[in-house]
Amino acid sequence: MLNIKTQRAYAAILREELVPAMGCTEPSAVAYAAAKAREILNCTPDRVEIQCSANIIKNIKSVIVPNTDGLRGIAAAVIAGIVGGNPSKKLEVLQSVTERDIVEIKRLLGTRFCEASLAEGIEGIHIDVTVHSDARSVEVVIKTTHTGIVLIRENGVTIFDATGPALISNSPQVDSFSARMNANSDREKYGLLNIRDILQFADTVDLEDIEDLLDRQIVMNSAIADEGLMNEYGASVGRILMARGGNDVRVRARARAAAGSDARMGGCSMPVVINSGSGNQGLTVSLPVIEYAKEWGVGHEKLIRALVVSNLVALEQKEFIGKLSAYCGAVSAAVGSGAGITYLKGGNYLDVASTITNVIATVGGILCDGAKSSCAAKIATALDCAILGHEMSMMGKCYGSGEGLVGDTVEDTIHNIGVIGSIGMRPTDIEIIRLMLEPVISSSKLV
């Protein structure tokens, strides 16, 4: 029987991670930081400065900022957050942007209102926004997660610090925000993730505790997949796959996830339920499992439990790899999806562990060179291997210990690929970022 601590931890992880987001999460995170700073300043600023890590810039550079009439870049995301953003909506911060706001956003983009620069030597998620109005200023810093505000300064004075108790302030927004952040800052629970317990949790969890989260993931992610298949976005990877063989569940599963990514990367403002801070990963862990459930006539309860498996398996891998890396998150999400499909089919612990091992051994190592239209093709590729890994496992086939990065146990294999993704690929990430950002940095302008 799974102990109470682990049960509560897993339910809390799902509630923390499976949240809605509009568009690519990096522009939304930047807009959220800017909107929060403007809220605390309590007026429209005269100017704004932002510093972002190279990983954040990499994932903003080529995607459309949602709800902005096709605008791209850091400055567009910052200004959209300030002009029309609602920080209470977190990664749906730009949901409230109006047509009139877009006119103002475009006007300010043509001025020196926003100054963006690279935060040198900082990896992962790092966003530092400072808004100014006359002699007043508010600075908001995000780290670790896309909505993880760790520092707020007003006129240079710290009024919130996630590393310790917030200072007494006269701002009700900061006081209530501080209470929420301190309640949600515990990362210890992620260390409890392991495949055997994930499966036991999926088997035994009271659906009342988590069903609303997974139902929302089903509805939102299915809706944007439909949109991506009905209309032209990006490279139309999903539409092309369906045209080539959409009656095969193997194709449909890949095509729907790819189509959702086509739409997201192409500027569609429909929300998705994310996984590990990524909408593309949220689509990848959910839509193939949903499609296989339809194909096999699996009931709703079993589908919900399978989605628990797919989401938590993906999150366990990302706990080793990190939120942003040179290791493409579509792979870890596809591993989760393969595990969920095997569980859906009635697979036991050995079957699920074999699926995970097979997928990691086959496709681990696709490079992340930023968020853009080709993410849809990477999703389709990773899911092709995930489906193969599932089919191999159901026929009793699994790569053995010592074959490449395959360890003695599935946990060893997950750990090994995590080391590669977080440490081994760090120099690769540096070179990817250098090649991507060199032209931008040399022009002394980040857009």
Side-chain angles (χ1 to χ4, degrees), residues 202-230:
D203 284 340
T204 60
V205 62
D206 186 341
L207 292 189
E208 289 186 2
D209 293 338
I210 48 89
E211 189 171 14
D212 61 321
L213 305 174
L214 283 312
D215 278 339
R216 183 170 63 183
Q217 188 175 57
I218 292 168
V219 171
M220 287 187 173
N221 295 6
S222 296
I224 199 169
D226 290 340
E227 173 68 16
L229 288 173
M230 286 188 294

Side-chain angles (χ1 to χ4, degrees), residues 169-236:
S169 80
N170 295 319
S171 169
Q173 296 107 324
V174 173
D175 291 339
S176 62
F177 173 79
S178 173
R180 293 197 309 274
M181 285 297 295
N182 287 336
N184 294 323
S185 61
D186 177 24
R187 298 288 302 178
E188 180 186 350
K189 57 184 174 290
Y190 287 80
L192 299 174
L193 288 168
N194 68 85
I195 302 306
R196 195 175 295 278
D197 284 354
I198 287 171
L199 294 176
Q200 193 169 357
F201 176 75
D203 284 340
T204 60
V205 62
D206 186 341
L207 292 189
E208 289 186 2
D209 293 338
I210 48 89
E211 189 171 14
D212 61 321
L213 305 174
L214 283 312
D215 278 339
R216 183 170 63 183
Q217 188 175 57
I218 292 168
V219 171
M220 287 187 173
N221 295 6
S222 296
I224 199 169
D226 290 340
E227 173 68 16
L229 288 173
M230 286 188 294
N231 298 293
E232 292 280 352
Y233 289 97
S236 296

Side-chain angles (χ1 to χ4, degrees), residues 260 276 370 383 441:
S276 194
L383 285 171
I441 293 170

Side-chain angles (χ1 to χ4, degrees), residues 22-155:
M22 279 179 61
C24 181
T25 46
E26 280 72 32
S28 294
V30 164
Y32 169 61
K36 174 57 71 173
R38 187 247 182 256
E39 179 185 61
I40 296 169
L41 188 68
N42 201 29
C43 68
T44 301
D46 303 320
R47 61 188 177 91
V48 57
E49 302 164 353
I50 180 168
Q51 281 197 328
C52 295
S53 63
N55 291 97
I56 292 292
I57 296 169
K58 178 176 78 170
N59 282 331
I60 294 180
K61 179 175 176 286
S62 301
V63 295
I64 293 172
V65 179
N67 226 14
T68 63
D69 192 30
L71 298 176
R72 300 174 190 263
I74 292 173
V78 170
I79 295 170
I82 288 171
V83 171
N86 178 358
S88 70
K89 293 292 187 180
K90 299 286 186 73
L91 293 177
E92 295 180 280
V93 58
L94 298 180
Q95 190 180 66
S96 54
V97 173
T98 65
E99 292 294 329
R100 181 177 294 182
D101 291 333
I102 292 171
V103 172
E104 178 65 4
I105 293 164
K106 291 180 177 179
R107 184 188 74 80
L108 289 173
L109 274 173
T111 71
R112 299 177 65 91
F113 176 77
C114 179
E115 179 182 336
S117 60
L118 173 68
E120 299 278 0
I122 299 178
E123 298 179 358
I125 297 174
H126 178 87
I127 300 166
D128 187 337
V129 177
T130 304
V131 294
H132 301 268
S133 178
D134 296 326
R136 297 177 57 231
S137 68
V138 172
E139 179 185 15
V140 172
V141 179
I142 284 178
K143 285 182 177 289
T144 308
T145 69
H146 289 81
T147 56
I149 294 178
V150 296
L151 185 69
I152 301 175
R153 291 194 182 103
E154 190 170 2
N155 301 325

